[in-house]
Amino acid sequence: MRPPSSPSSSDLFLKYLLDGNKADASGFIHKLTSESIPIQSIYENIMKPALYKVGELWAVNKITVAEEHTATAITEGIMNELYPFIANSNTGIRGKVVVGCVEGEFHQVGARMVADMFEIKGWDTWFPGSNVPTAELIRYINKVNPDLVAISASIYFHLPMLAKMMDEIMSAFQGLDILVGGQAFRHGGISLLSAYPTASFIKDLQELEIFIDNYANEDA
C-alpha cells in the first residue's frame, strides 16, 4: 500500500488559515522566506490558491463568514510582516502605479499582492485599499499622476461595476494604461475588455511580472 502523499504547501497554509492558527501560518511562510523562496512565488503558489479555496468553501456554506474573514486577516497580517523583504528589494523608482479595487468590494488581498509586485520591481506604488468610490479614485489618480492604474475584481457579479469604473477613468484620463485582473475572471468576462484599447488583462503574478519587465523596457 502506497503511503498517503504529503499535503502541498498551499494545502498546509490553507489548514492553518481554516484553523485560525496565525502563529503556525506565519512561521510557515517565514520558513519559506528563510529558504530564499521569492515573495512572488509565495503569493502566487501558496497564499492565492489557499484564499481561492477559502472563498469557494464560504460560497457553498462549508465555512462561516467569520472564518473567511479570519483567513483573510491572517494572510494580510503575514503580508505586513513580509514588507521589509519587499522594501529591501526596491532598487530605485521606475514608474508610478495606482492599484485599486472595484467599487463595492472589500476583498483587497489580490490588489495588495499586485501592489507589492510593482514595489518589488522598483515602482512607486500607491494603494488606497478596497471599496473606494470611483469618483474618489479618479481624484486620487489625478493627484498621483501615475503611469498606469491596476484594478482588481474579486467577484464575478461586480464586472459591470468594473466596466463602469473603466469608462469613467478613461473618460477622465484618455490614453491611460489600465491593468485588470482578479478572481472574478475565473468564470469569464475577459471579453468586456475589448472595448478598452489601453486595458490589459493580467492572469496571474507571473504574467504581471512579465508585463512589468516589458513595460519598463519599453520606457527605458
Side-chain angles (χ1 to χ4, degrees):
M1 180 176 180
R2 296 176 60 185
S5 59
S6 60
S8 70
S9 295
S10 179
D11 289 339
L12 187 55
F13 185 67
L14 172 64
K15 179 182 184 303
Y16 293 143
L17 294 183
L18 295 179
D19 289 344
N21 191 335
K22 181 178 179 180
D24 282 351
S26 176
F28 176 64
I29 296 299
H30 281 282
K31 179 177 182 293
L32 296 177
T33 61
S34 71
E35 296 170 353
S36 299
I37 304 298
I39 300 295
Q40 300 97 305
S41 180
I42 292 172
Y43 282 1
E44 180 65 33
N45 299 315
I46 298 173
M47 290 183 172
K48 181 176 144 182
L51 288 174
Y52 275 14
K53 184 63 177 178
V54 167
E56 292 168 2
L57 291 171
W58 172 78
V60 296
N61 296 316
K62 292 291 183 67
I63 63 172
T64 66
V65 68
E67 290 171 303
E68 189 264 344
H69 286 181
T70 298
T72 301
I74 289 173
T75 303
E76 286 202 81
I78 295 171
M79 291 173 70
N80 289 338
E81 295 170 7
L82 296 178
Y83 185 74
F85 296 97
I86 294 167
N88 289 340
S89 66
N90 196 321
T91 57
I93 301 303
R94 300 176 183 175
K96 292 197 294 185
V97 59
V98 170
V99 181
C101 303
V102 171
E103 180 178 342
E105 283 199 2
F106 294 90
H107 297 83
Q108 65 177 29
V109 174
R112 279 199 59 186
M113 290 179 177
V114 170
D116 286 352
M117 276 293 301
F118 273 101
E119 193 153 352
I120 287 170
K121 290 292 184 176
W123 282 59
D124 194 0
T125 304
W126 304 74
F127 176 58
S130 63
N131 194 33
V132 176
T134 302
E136 294 294 326
L137 183 62
I138 287 173
R139 279 192 279 270
Y140 192 71
I141 293 169
N142 187 59
K143 177 181 178 180
V144 173
N145 189 29
D147 298 289
L148 58 86
V149 171
I151 303 174
S152 172
S154 298
I155 302 173
Y156 180 76
F157 296 107
H158 286 176
L159 291 183
M161 174 56 74
L162 171 64
K164 180 176 182 292
M165 287 181 69
M166 293 177 67
D167 285 336
E168 295 183 25
I169 291 171
M170 288 188 166
S171 176
F173 308 99
Q174 295 184 11
L176 179 65
D177 291 328
I178 298 181
L179 301 186
V180 177
Q183 188 174 4
F185 292 95
R186 297 180 75 193
H187 306 290
I190 299 173
S191 60
L192 73 82
L193 300 179
S194 62
Y196 307 98
T198 62
S200 299
F201 172 71
I202 301 298
K203 179 179 64 176
D204 53 34
L205 295 183
Q206 285 95 337
E207 199 167 282
L208 176 62
E209 187 168 15
I210 293 169
F211 177 91
I212 296 172
D213 289 341
N214 290 339
Y215 194 92
N217 290 335
E218 288 171 4
D219 293 348

